[in-house]
Amino acid sequence: MLEGLRRFFRQYHNKILAITFISLGLGLFLGFYVAAEILSGWTYFRSAPREIINFVLLLITYGILLGTNINNSNYAYRGIYMFLVIAIFEGVFGALDIFLTLGNIFASGNGGSIASTLVYLALYGGLIGVGIALYIGTFNYMVGRRDNFKKLRTLYLIFVGILTASTVSMIVSFHLLGLLSSPINIIILLTNPISETLIAVGVAFTYERLRRL
């Protein structure tokens, strides 16, 4: 029986791992909004209407990724495209936020703040550039214009690396600022970034499942 399970895992490991990581990411994502509602006395969405749009878009995207992996469907490409577009826009808005405060940060003369700002700016820039290249490369691979999966895989691994580095940098920054002093702060500040990173890893295995042999 154990040998049968090993053989089953070898045959379907990409699907299993994609579903596992996407499910974990989706669970954390939903957990964040449930916690936010409870902690705010069920007023979180009412006090931040834009969050409803963000929640719905991400829920649809993660739901498509999970459902298409469960069903072994090539429609997973749609979920991948949506995930990439969301990540690219996150990079754009993150970079814009930094540019708006760049003058004040440099004027402060704080070496730590300047260094961390430049790191975040580089990460956002990389997220935008690699994300766009990956979107185009994924489309070309899907329609058969390109058959170089290794190049696509490398590009996506760089993309995951940037997302992971961004999450780690965020955790370090929050820790240095003393913002992770309570379980509630940890849930509110870290759940979404970690969720997105888990989804990104799940998408990596989705690519592997969609690979043309």
Side-chain angles (χ1 to χ4, degrees), residues 105-121:
I105 292 172
F106 276 100
S108 71
N110 187 314
S113 295
I114 293 172
S116 62
T117 298
L118 293 177
V119 168
Y120 276 117
L121 196 57

Side-chain angles (χ1 to χ4, degrees), residues 27-43:
L28 281 179
F29 168 76
L30 293 173
F32 165 80
Y33 284 101
V34 171
E37 279 291 313
I38 292 173
L39 292 172
S40 65
W42 305 101
T43 62

Side-chain angles (χ1 to χ4, degrees), residues 55-138:
F55 171 78
V56 171
L57 285 175
L58 287 172
L59 184 61
I60 291 172
T61 301
Y62 296 168
I64 289 174
L65 287 168
L66 181 60
T68 51
N69 274 296
I70 291 173
N71 294 326
N72 267 344
S73 171
N74 286 348
Y75 280 105
Y77 279 114
R78 293 185 179 181
I80 291 174
Y81 292 142
M82 292 174 69
F83 180 71
L84 292 176
V85 168
I86 289 170
I88 290 168
F89 273 101
E90 283 181 357
V92 170
F93 288 122
L96 284 175
D97 286 341
I98 289 177
F99 275 120
L100 291 174
T101 59
L102 207 54
N104 292 334
I105 292 172
F106 276 100
S108 71
N110 187 314
S113 295
I114 293 172
S116 62
T117 298
L118 293 177
V119 168
Y120 276 117
L121 196 57
L123 289 172
Y124 285 134
L127 194 65
I128 296 166
V130 176
I132 292 172
L134 188 57
Y135 186 98
I136 296 170
T138 301

